[in-house]
Amino acid sequence: MYSLTLKCLALKLLLLISCDARHSVYWRANHRSIAEGGSSGTFNVLDYGAKGDGTSDDTKAFEDAWNEACKVAASTLLVPSGSTFLVGPVSFLGKECKENIVFQLDGKIIAPTSSRAWGSGLLQWIEFKSLIGITIKGKGVIDGQGSVWWNKSPDYDPADDNDMMKDQKGTKMPGTKPTALRFYGSNGVMVNGITIQNSPQTHLKFDNCVNIQVSDFTTSSPGDSPNTDGIHLQNSQDAVIYRSTLACGDDCISIQTGCSNIYIHDVDCGPGHGISIGGLGKENIKACVSNITVRDVTMHETTNGVRIKSWQGGSGSVKQVMFSNIQVSEVANPIVIDQYYCDGGGCHNETSAVAVSNINYINIKGTYTREPVRFACSDSLPCTGISLSTIELKPATDKASSSEPFCWEAHGELKTETLPPIQCLKTEKSTSQSSNDAC
């Protein structure tokens, strides 16, 4: 009897040890330690066949790693340091994904330079779509290798070699240039620490997203690279962008229709076209933008500083905007509202316009090279509620010294004296604007 009891105890102990061992293996395979962030699994692209040599096509390895990471809440897809991964156009879809996935970018991802990799043209290179809680962070780099796209006649040549890294000489790329990194239809998006450089077009885009945070983010492209916006927001709400350095060939930050509750601070911009709201209302569409704050920003050698631009013929409104603590250095046009924006020519005079109201400028100082202030507002729908306080803009050279502020149908109030004096601003008028500006 005693011998039987010992055997039973031994069997129970063996089963317990076996069960604990299996649990330990499962935990190690599917959970990171608390010290690593407490998420539920790490999926290294090297474990899914990525070569990381900069020449082999690693697209499928990234897709496979993503498909596995998707199954585990709060998991991490790891792109390790020390390797360069050639990745073609790819969409990381969230329809079947768990929440709060982290894309840990410590290595480098490069885009293909062969036109065949892009077919007849794509709107984005790397896309994250329909996710709840998605973070891309790390010290890694996304390199769009955009120089092959920036020529003047990027015609598609179907006879191009199939090699994704074909010699750039003579390569003709599709006319449609892709955004480097795009988030679409997602809630709770965080971008932290990474660098995007040499994008064929926009570096980072948010479309139909809410609850966005961008911090310690860098873009790096030449000032003459066409249409390479730093950060582009469209139909997105509740975003904060801070502690970022943006150098590009277009707007450092572009805020488009459907955006509200956007807070931008501690950003360095240049080269580029400044921080812009618009262009809005193109092709007579309705555009709505509200509650935008831009503060504690430095701009150097940009074509514009803080700008609102809209096309004639549009409708909707831009309202409740604050630009404060903006330091400009050799900026061509530091303060701009342009309701006659026309990119490419062929525009016609139209009576309807996107209404512009309640725009506040506070503590904007520095040097300009062309025109310090330009308020070009609509005849039929003048700008109202413009407020300026502590504006000190000096010419960077003697050539710019003769420039004076320009105003057309701009109504508002000078809270303090300005340099140069903005005498062209009309006193405030009552706002009896048309119904088509309602948003």
Side-chain angles (χ1 to χ4, degrees):
M1 181 68 178
Y2 179 71
S3 175
L4 183 60
T5 302
L6 285 177
K7 287 182 179 179
C8 288
L9 286 171
L11 182 60
K12 286 182 179 179
L13 182 60
L14 183 62
L15 288 171
L16 182 63
I17 291 170
S18 176
C19 180
D20 188 61
R22 286 198 303 271
H23 177 74
S24 178
V25 170
Y26 172 83
W27 183 265
R28 287 197 303 271
N30 294 280
H31 295 264
R32 291 195 308 166
S33 68
I34 293 175
E36 291 177 304
S39 73
S40 301
T42 299
F43 300 84
N44 190 326
V45 294
L46 293 176
D47 295 335
Y48 292 85
K51 301 299 183 185
D53 57 13
T55 56
S56 301
D57 182 3
D58 289 327
T59 310
K60 187 177 186 304
F62 274 66
E63 291 173 333
D64 290 346
W66 175 261
N67 290 336
E68 291 302 311
C70 263
K71 300 173 184 176
V72 183
S75 63
T76 296
L77 186 152
L78 176 62
V79 182
S81 61
S83 298
T84 298
F85 301 91
L86 174 63
V87 177
V90 60
S91 290
F92 299 114
L93 305 179
K95 187 176 181 182
E96 305 296 331
C97 279
K98 301 294 185 180
E99 297 182 5
N100 301 321
I101 296 175
V102 175
F103 190 102
Q104 182 70 38
L105 177 60
D106 294 325
K108 186 176 184 179
I109 300 174
I110 61 174
T113 56
S114 166
S115 62
R116 185 170 291 275
W118 302 96
S120 58
L122 296 171
L123 294 175
Q124 55 272 327
W125 168 29
I126 301 171
E127 179 184 43
F128 291 87
K129 186 176 181 180
S130 304
L131 288 150
I132 299 176
I134 174 67
T135 296
I136 178 166
K137 66 184 183 74
K139 300 298 181 183
V141 175
I142 295 173
D143 189 340
Q145 305 205 98
S147 60
V148 297
W149 298 84
W150 299 335
N151 59 71
K152 293 183 179 179
S153 47
D155 299 320
Y156 175 57
D157 183 359
D160 278 340
D161 190 272
N162 194 37
D163 183 2
M164 288 179 72
M165 291 297 291
K166 181 180 182 291
D167 183 1
Q168 294 180 11
K169 283 187 176 181
T171 299
K172 295 181 179 180
M173 305 303 283
T176 301
K177 301 174 185 177
T179 289
L181 177 61
R182 180 193 187 219
F183 293 89
Y184 179 83
S186 297
N187 185 344
V189 182
M190 181 181 293
V191 177
N192 173 259
I194 70 168
T195 295
I196 303 178
Q197 63 190 31
N198 302 319
S199 178
Q201 199 175 56
T202 299
H203 290 75
L204 175 62
K205 179 181 287 187
F206 299 95
D207 196 350
N208 280 286
C209 293
V210 295
N211 300 319
I212 300 161
Q213 180 176 310
V214 179
S215 61
D216 302 297
F217 171 66
T218 300
T219 63
S220 179
S221 288
D224 60 353
S225 54
N227 304 119
T228 54
D229 292 45
I231 301 174
H232 179 103
L233 299 112
Q234 183 170 324
N235 296 314
S236 296
Q237 301 83 41
D238 304 321
V240 58
I241 300 168
Y242 63 101
R243 280 202 319 260
S244 294
T245 302
L246 308 175
C248 57
D250 209 306
D251 295 328
C252 291
I253 301 176
S254 170
I255 301 168
Q256 298 294 326
T257 185
C259 290
S260 62
N261 302 328
I262 310 297
Y263 181 33
I264 299 163
H265 67 93
D266 296 287
V267 168
D268 182 88
C269 168
H273 294 182
I275 294 178
S276 295
I277 298 173
L280 303 173
K282 187 177 183 181
E283 297 177 349
N284 305 104
I285 67 170
K286 186 173 186 175
C288 298
V289 176
S290 64
N291 196 19
I292 311 297
T293 298
V294 179
R295 57 176 286 265
D296 300 324
V297 169
T298 60
M299 299 187 184
H300 44 92
E301 300 178 33
T302 55
T303 56
N304 299 284
V306 289
R307 176 170 59 155
I308 298 172
K309 52 182 178 175
S310 65
W311 299 74
Q312 293 186 73
S315 61
S317 66
V318 179
K319 59 185 178 181
Q320 298 168 353
V321 178
M322 176 176 287
F323 301 113
S324 69
N325 300 336
I326 312 294
Q327 185 68 40
V328 297
S329 176
E330 297 188 38
V331 169
N333 311 290
I335 297 175
V336 178
I337 297 177
D338 184 5
Q339 286 185 291
Y340 298 90
Y341 179 71
C342 180
D343 184 18
C347 299
H348 304 285
N349 289 330
E350 300 193 43
T351 56
S352 63
V354 177
V356 177
S357 64
N358 298 324
I359 314 298
N360 302 288
Y361 301 91
I362 302 172
N363 196 34
I364 300 179
K365 300 179 179 180
T367 60
Y368 67 92
T369 60
R370 189 179 303 160
E371 189 174 45
V373 177
R374 183 173 185 83
F375 295 138
C377 300
S378 169
D379 288 312
S380 57
L381 202 59
C383 302
T384 61
I386 297 173
S387 171
L388 298 107
S389 175
T390 320
I391 309 299
E392 297 180 11
L393 298 170
K394 300 177 182 179
T397 63
D398 293 339
K399 191 175 291 186
S401 62
S402 60
S403 299
E404 295 182 357
F406 172 85
C407 306
W408 183 262
E409 291 298 340
H411 300 258
E413 179 183 7
L414 300 179
K415 299 285 189 179
T416 67
E417 291 184 358
T418 64
L419 180 68
I422 306 176
Q423 299 172 342
C424 57
L425 187 69
K426 295 182 178 180
T427 57
E428 191 59 87
K429 64 178 291 185
S430 59
T431 59
S432 57
Q433 297 174 345
S434 62
S435 60
N436 74 338
D437 68 325
C439 284

